[in-house]
Amino acid sequence: MKQATQSRRRFLRSLLSMAGSSAVPFTINLAAMGEAAAQSSGEYKALVCLYMAGGNDAFNTVLATDDASWTEYIRLRTSDDGNSSIALPRTGTGAVLPIEPHTSQGRTYALHPAMEGVKQLFENSRAAIIANVGTLTHPTDLDQYGRGENLPPKLFSHNDQQSLWQSNGPEGASLGWGGQLGDLFMANNGAPTFTCISASGNAVFLSGSQVRQFQISTSGMPGITNLSNSLFGVPAASNPLQAVITKQTPNGNPFENEYAAIVSRAIAAQQTLSQAMLPTGTGAGQVPAPSLYINPNTLVAAANPLALQLQTVARIIGGRNALSVKRQVFYVSLGGFDTHDGQKVNQADLLAKISHAVVYFDSVLQHLDGSDLRNQVTLFTASDFGRTFLSNGDGTDHGWGSHHFVFGGAVKGKEIYGAFPQTGIGHSLDVGLGALLPTTSVDQYGATLATWFGVPTNQLAAVFPNIVNFSQYNLGFMA
């Protein structure tokens, strides 16, 4: 308990030092933050961020199909000669997949034809759609956009908007909101090293003030070469390389000693997680491998890299009791969404991978280690930005607002949350070529997930600083 308290205090001090004098109004709340989070972390919960790198086109992912909307969709997304059309058919072969949300807003809707699995999760109330989400600092209208008032920095830039989605700051930001959630709860995890875990490389999303993201590959725990096997005939148990790099006899050089300490912790963490993770297989206490997915363009079956990342996440979640963790944040990703003139073909393949992977993950969680963990694990999507409605002659270009999905048993599913935008161009949310001015901020999206995760309402601003500028902090899509 003493160590946990000290960890929380260090976190609070670091927040205050970064915020400076502007943090004074929040001092009392921040002081209670760690304790309040601790009290709400009894049941295991995990958040999984599925990042679609490159900027997914929302207009072909979730579509309004009522007659007025569809007429504009076909008119504007079909080229004069039809050769470079990015429009999808409403009927016949390869048609969009109708969905029936509880609230229709007077319209009808459909999903991309490659998302049959997502459609089934949606219809079974295990998925929700959050409409027109994007990076915002304040509620903004088209006039304010035109005057450049209260806009996020460096709009339409891949690197900067990726960072803003994940950290509330442009490229160069060092704290992500996933990592800051980890900061709040790591003291309640028996093995705090495994609070924030990436199965897809380094991500600012998982960077906290205290917590450090732990990276793992789909092939297992990355180790130090020649450390876990024999070296020049010397058994691993007495491997001299380990003695050298862990520097078992500290000297007066603080840099050498610190490096040795870090390597020693890395080796210990690797061994701990390797022993705790559930093995792959089809038996009890094992995590089955994902089936092959079908490329909708070629109809060829192939391995799905995203499903393999989620298999790794499931194996770690299966070891939650051995690791004595109550809260975990994960990061997985799929690249290639900067589709431009390859959009119609490439996006179909990418969305097929996502649909296949999330259905696989849902099915694994239902029977993981003899437990149904679907109510305790929530997966959500994120991306750099949406895309333009019109083509610029080379496919759709960088946009702003986009639609996103949230999956899990705790999701109030079969619903579209937020105002679904008008289809077309020249409307009150069109900032150019049909790119959407967001009506829901990333802060609101993240704060709703964080509330379910256990962050007290009055502490959300410490993680999502822009939330104070919005009247609604909870969008209501989590039970």
Side-chain angles (χ1 to χ4, degrees):
M1 180 61 71
K2 181 178 179 181
Q3 182 180 2
T5 300
Q6 290 176 341
S7 177
R8 286 192 293 271
R9 286 174 177 168
R10 285 196 301 271
F11 168 58
L12 297 173
R13 282 198 300 269
S14 65
L15 279 180
L16 290 172
S17 64
M18 288 185 293
S21 60
S22 63
V24 173
F26 299 101
T27 301
I28 296 177
N29 285 344
L30 286 171
M33 181 186 297
E35 296 298 336
Q39 293 170 8
S40 61
S41 60
E43 180 186 47
Y44 176 84
K45 288 184 179 181
L47 279 173
V48 183
C49 175
L50 192 175
Y51 198 85
M52 301 180 290
N56 178 48
D57 178 84
F59 299 115
N60 273 14
T61 303
V62 184
L63 307 90
T65 57
D66 52 277
D67 289 341
S69 298
W70 195 260
T71 297
E72 280 297 278
Y73 171 80
I74 293 297
R75 183 177 74 86
L76 295 170
R77 286 214 146 188
T78 304
S79 62
D80 292 338
D81 59 10
N83 292 329
S84 59
S85 170
I86 55 174
L88 301 169
R90 184 160 56 164
T91 60
T93 304
V96 295
L97 305 171
I99 56 173
E100 297 182 4
H102 293 306
T103 305
S104 68
Q105 303 179 25
R107 304 167 79 178
T108 58
Y109 304 92
L111 300 179
H112 190 284
M115 305 190 81
E116 179 64 45
V118 172
K119 170 183 166 67
Q120 294 304 316
L121 290 175
F122 185 87
E123 297 295 347
N124 292 334
S125 297
R126 305 191 57 72
I129 296 165
I130 319 302
N132 197 15
V133 186
T135 55
L136 287 172
T137 61
H138 296 73
T140 304
D141 61 29
L142 201 58
D143 289 338
Q144 291 169 319
Y145 171 79
R147 295 192 298 268
E149 293 180 4
N150 297 324
L151 297 182
K154 301 183 179 180
L155 287 171
F156 315 115
S157 160
H158 281 294
N159 292 350
D160 294 290
Q161 294 304 301
Q162 284 181 9
S163 183
L164 279 161
W165 254 94
Q166 298 183 31
S167 70
N168 288 306
E171 186 177 20
S174 59
L175 292 176
W177 59 268
Q180 289 178 286
L181 293 180
D183 283 332
L184 295 180
F185 293 98
M186 65 182 294
N188 305 106
N189 286 341
T193 298
F194 308 114
T195 301
C196 292
I197 300 178
S198 173
S200 186
N202 187 52
V204 68
F205 173 71
L206 293 181
S207 295
S209 176
Q210 296 296 318
V211 73
R212 295 292 179 266
Q213 59 185 293
F214 191 92
Q215 298 180 38
I216 185 170
S217 71
T218 56
S219 59
M221 291 293 302
I224 298 175
T225 303
N226 291 322
L227 194 63
S228 58
N229 56 0
S230 62
L231 178 64
F232 301 116
V234 179
S238 57
N239 193 330
L241 177 61
Q242 181 164 329
V244 171
I245 63 176
T246 59
K247 197 168 181 54
Q248 296 175 0
T249 304
N251 59 20
N253 189 318
F255 297 102
E256 290 185 18
N257 295 338
E258 180 62 18
Y259 174 79
I262 291 172
V263 173
S264 296
R265 290 196 298 270
I267 294 172
Q270 177 192 4
Q271 295 172 342
T272 299
L273 187 55
S274 295
Q275 294 170 1
M277 289 175 66
L278 294 185
T280 59
T282 57
Q286 297 180 319
V287 177
S291 63
L292 301 179
Y293 91 104
I294 305 299
N295 184 317
N297 303 307
T298 64
L299 302 183
V300 173
N304 184 348
L306 179 61
L308 292 173
Q309 291 178 49
L310 289 173
Q311 180 191 31
T312 301
V313 171
R315 292 178 61 198
I316 297 172
I317 291 175
R320 66 199 179 282
N321 293 330
L323 295 172
S324 187
V325 291
K326 294 294 186 181
R327 291 290 186 275
Q328 289 184 292
V329 185
F330 295 91
Y331 178 87
V332 298
S333 71
L334 183 66
F337 285 91
D338 193 22
T339 48
H340 287 283
D341 58 353
Q343 178 176 315
K344 195 167 183 180
V345 171
N346 295 340
Q347 190 189 31
D349 185 41
L350 293 167
L351 294 181
K353 289 175 180 175
I354 286 180
S355 187
H356 170 265
V358 297
V359 169
Y360 161 76
F361 191 56
D362 183 82
S363 66
V364 168
L365 290 175
Q366 185 177 7
H367 305 290
L368 188 65
D369 196 22
S371 304
D372 186 345
L373 290 179
R374 292 179 297 173
N375 289 348
Q376 295 163 250
V377 180
T378 298
L379 183 149
F380 65 96
T381 64
S383 192
D384 313 11
F385 35 61
R387 306 193 77 80
T388 58
F389 197 91
L390 294 180
S391 170
N392 64 357
D394 186 29
T396 57
D397 209 343
H398 303 175
W400 193 357
S402 187
H403 311 318
H404 286 280
F405 297 93
V406 184
F407 302 94
V411 175
K412 295 179 181 178
K414 202 177 181 183
E415 188 63 279
I416 297 176
Y417 292 84
F420 201 87
Q422 179 180 338
T423 300
I425 60 174
H427 51 76
S428 62
L429 298 177
D430 177 10
V431 299
L433 295 176
L436 291 174
L437 175 65
T439 48
T440 294
S441 73
V442 174
D443 289 69
Q444 292 172 295
Y445 185 49
T448 306
L449 293 164
T451 300
W452 169 80
F453 201 57
V455 177
T457 301
N458 63 346
Q459 307 302 342
L460 291 171
V463 181
F464 304 97
N466 296 320
I467 199 67
V468 297
N469 300 323
F470 296 87
S471 60
Q472 184 182 18
Y473 72 88
N474 191 327
L475 303 177
F477 59 78
M478 297 300 297

